[in-house]
Amino acid sequence: MSTIKTKDGVEIFYKDWGPKDGQPIMFHHGWPLSSDDWDTQMLFFVQRGYRVIAHDRRGHGRSAQVSDGHDMDHYAADAFAVVEALDLSKVFHVGHSTGGGEVARYVAKHGQPSGRAAKAVLVSAVPPLMLKTAGNPEGLPIEVFDGFRKGVADNRAQMFLDVAAGPFYGFNREGAKVYQGVIQNWWRQGMMGSAKAHYEGIKAFSETDQTADLQAITVPTLVLHGDDDQIVPIADAALKSIKLLKNGTLKVYKGLPHGMLTTHADIINPDLLAFFTS
């Protein structure tokens, strides 16, 4: 397996496909998944001459199941460790859900200062803040995330099946075409990871206020979101993010779910390509 070691000694698994002199695209996965969630996108772009990179977040997939560091700062620093180890420059960074939060923190804190980030894409992403607070009344109440924590602690295996078979891909909607393989693959990826990382990661994706990250980003940024996202509601995410970005473009997909990069890759991939070549 291809791995790098972070400054705090955590082994991070990564994939690196395509020509070493190709334009690099780095993909950042969502909770509680792994780099495998990007296989469709990685194959699409490597076949078009790009160099595609994806890593498993600490505690997820094939990366080390360490006890600590399950927060957005460590997520971004780990991604930067991969970029530095591979000596990537002018990278296009694409993040889904929690991975979108990772991209926002990475670009703001590491990518722009180092000059290694050229463009960013936030897909169904969690910024600026998911949690309902006095200053963010449109957010989701803490009870929603406490329910996620309880599900992970009580019966993670069943919870992961329920999420994948229901709201994540919109399979709970009337008339939806249900892909059993997609459900099983989501479950497989989730169960590869650490329950502790998943439990603590809920706080990271729900309570991290990334307003300042978005305001700091100056590279061209594409924000993609489905208006039927049942996991990260668009009104509290993309519609707010686009107002905070200095150089952002928003595209809303009518009726598409949170996991649209998988269920509707035939739509998402060409839109990513158009942004990368613009």
Side-chain angles (χ1 to χ4, degrees):
M1 292 201 308
S2 297
T3 62
I4 62 99
K5 188 162 285 190
T6 66
K7 291 179 180 178
D8 60 342
V10 179
E11 194 169 54
I12 301 293
F13 168 85
Y14 70 91
K15 303 175 185 181
D16 181 8
W17 303 344
K20 294 298 183 279
D21 60 349
Q23 166 63 51
I25 307 172
M26 187 166 178
F27 296 94
H28 306 247
H29 67 80
W31 180 97
L33 305 173
S34 74
S35 56
D36 292 353
D37 202 42
W38 290 108
D39 281 353
T40 302
Q41 283 71 38
M42 292 181 72
L43 288 171
F44 178 89
F45 283 102
V46 78
Q47 290 168 1
R48 286 158 178 79
Y50 287 85
R51 180 180 181 180
V52 294
I53 303 97
H55 68 293
D56 291 354
R57 189 171 298 122
R58 64 169 60 201
H60 295 62
R62 289 139 293 202
S63 289
Q65 294 199 12
V66 293
S67 180
D68 302 315
H70 308 299
D71 56 72
M72 211 59 78
D73 281 335
H74 281 88
Y75 295 167
D78 292 350
F80 190 50
V82 175
V83 170
E84 284 192 308
L86 299 180
D87 194 23
L88 304 174
S89 62
K90 298 180 180 178
V91 184
F92 299 161
H93 287 275
V94 188
H96 175 249
S97 195
T98 301
E102 179 177 296
V103 166
R105 179 61 53 89
Y106 169 87
V107 173
K109 302 297 184 184
H110 302 282
Q112 287 177 165
S114 66
R116 292 182 184 267
K119 291 184 178 184
V121 184
L122 308 179
V123 184
S124 311
V126 298
L129 175 63
M130 288 192 70
L131 182 67
K132 181 178 181 177
T133 64
N136 187 45
E138 300 85 5
L140 296 172
I142 189 68
E143 289 79 12
V144 172
F145 305 110
D146 286 344
F148 269 74
R149 276 182 276 264
K150 179 174 171 51
V152 170
D154 290 355
N155 190 341
R156 183 172 62 135
Q158 187 59 51
M159 177 199 173
F160 284 0
L161 274 181
D162 293 343
V163 171
F168 197 92
Y169 295 111
F171 292 156
N172 56 342
R173 295 305 196 201
E174 185 177 354
K177 184 176 181 180
V178 178
Y179 297 94
Q180 290 299 326
V182 168
I183 295 169
Q184 292 170 24
N185 190 42
W186 200 99
W187 185 89
R188 176 192 66 84
Q189 291 179 69
M191 294 306 294
M192 286 173 67
S194 156
K196 188 173 189 291
H198 294 160
Y199 187 94
E200 295 180 1
I202 295 167
K203 181 180 178 69
F205 74 64
S206 64
E207 298 182 38
T208 305
D209 188 339
Q210 298 196 258
T211 299
D213 292 331
L214 294 171
Q215 291 172 328
I217 295 173
T218 58
V219 300
T221 303
L222 179 63
V223 180
L224 305 178
H225 219 105
D227 69 0
D228 192 33
D229 190 324
Q230 300 173 68
I231 302 296
V232 181
I234 188 172
D236 195 43
L239 299 188
K240 288 188 174 182
S241 292
I242 196 62
K243 295 177 182 178
L244 297 168
L245 291 162
K246 293 181 175 67
N247 192 7
T249 301
L250 172 65
K251 183 156 190 178
V252 177
Y253 299 89
K254 185 174 178 57
L256 293 200
H258 186 65
M260 62 184 184
L261 69 90
T262 298
T263 57
H264 295 81
D266 59 327
I267 297 173
I268 304 302
N269 289 353
D271 286 348
L272 292 175
L273 180 61
F275 176 63
F276 293 153
T277 55
S278 63

